[in-house]
Amino acid sequence: MNDETKRLKELRRARTRMKRQLETCPEELKPLNACMLIILQERMVEVLGTIEERVELENLRKAMRPEWLALLPQIKAMAPPIPV
């Protein structure tokens, strides 16, 4: 298994962990966690570009509350880059 494949598996595992964390985290952290999940998924779409990843991104956006989506640009500005 090459480094790129390992990194993609790590990203997918991170996405799964973030989804689980979003379900269990305190209410005041949910907007931040939801935005970070979307940022991670956007990066996966950039890297992979598959229809599956694009559909996942759209589903995440649809599931987010509008007030959380409004925070996305601010959180993106503060978030560290996601290496791939």
Side-chain angles (χ1 to χ4, degrees):
M1 188 181 324
N2 64 24
D3 288 341
E4 188 175 322
T5 306
K6 279 184 185 177
R7 184 66 185 135
L8 292 175
K9 282 188 172 191
E10 286 175 24
L11 285 172
R12 287 191 173 119
R13 278 195 299 268
R15 179 180 60 201
T16 302
R17 278 192 314 270
M18 288 181 85
K19 282 182 178 180
R20 203 175 315 121
Q21 183 179 356
L22 182 59
E23 294 170 1
T24 61
C25 72
E27 199 62 38
E28 61 270 9
L29 293 178
K30 287 189 189 259
L32 174 65
N33 286 339
C35 288
M36 290 304 293
L37 181 57
I38 288 208
I39 292 166
L40 175 63
Q41 188 61 38
E42 286 175 346
R43 183 67 174 132
M44 290 177 76
V45 167
E46 277 179 35
V47 171
L48 299 175
T50 64
I51 291 173
E52 175 189 344
E53 299 301 335
R54 291 177 197 275
V55 168
E56 178 71 20
L57 178 58
E58 283 307 308
N59 289 340
L60 287 172
R61 284 192 173 136
K62 286 178 189 173
M64 269 184 86
R65 295 181 189 167
E67 61 270 20
W68 294 0
L69 271 176
L71 294 173
L72 189 58
Q74 294 169 328
I75 293 174
K76 270 186 187 178
M78 296 184 298
I82 299 171
V84 173

